[in-house]
C-alpha cells in the first residue's frame, strides 16, 4: 500500500497509523495484529453503538 501512496506518507508505518485511526471509529472492528483488523460481530458493534 505504501508503494502506491508514498508521496502522501513519510513511511510505511505512517500509512498503517492512518488506517488504524479510521478503523478505531468503526463499531465492532478490533485490531487483530500489525496491519490486521477483524469484525468482532454484530453484538459487539451494537454494544459500542449503544454505549
Amino acid at each position: 500500500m505504501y508503494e502506491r501512496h508514498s508521496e502522501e506518507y513519510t513511511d510505511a508505518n505512517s500509512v498503517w497509523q492512518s488506517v488504524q485511526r479510521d478503523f478505531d471509529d468503526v463499531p465492532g472492528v478490533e485490531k487483530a495484529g500489525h496491519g490486521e483488523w477483524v469484525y468482532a460481530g454484530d453484538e459487539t458493534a451494537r454494544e459500542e453503538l449503544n454505549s
Side-chain angles (χ1 to χ4, degrees), residues 16-47:
W16 290 117
Q17 289 174 344
S18 179
V19 170
Q20 181 175 336
R21 282 191 298 270
D22 291 333
F23 280 131
D24 284 344
D25 295 332
V26 179
V29 174
E30 299 175 348
K31 188 163 177 60
H34 182 72
E36 297 179 14
W37 290 265
V38 296
Y39 181 61
D42 291 344
E43 186 174 326
T44 300
R46 284 187 194 103
E47 287 176 7

Side-chain angles (χ1 to χ4, degrees), residues 1-9 15:
M1 183 166 165
Y2 172 68
E3 293 79 17
R4 292 183 302 195
H5 301 284
S6 61
E7 295 175 7
E8 298 159 22
Y9 297 95
V15 174

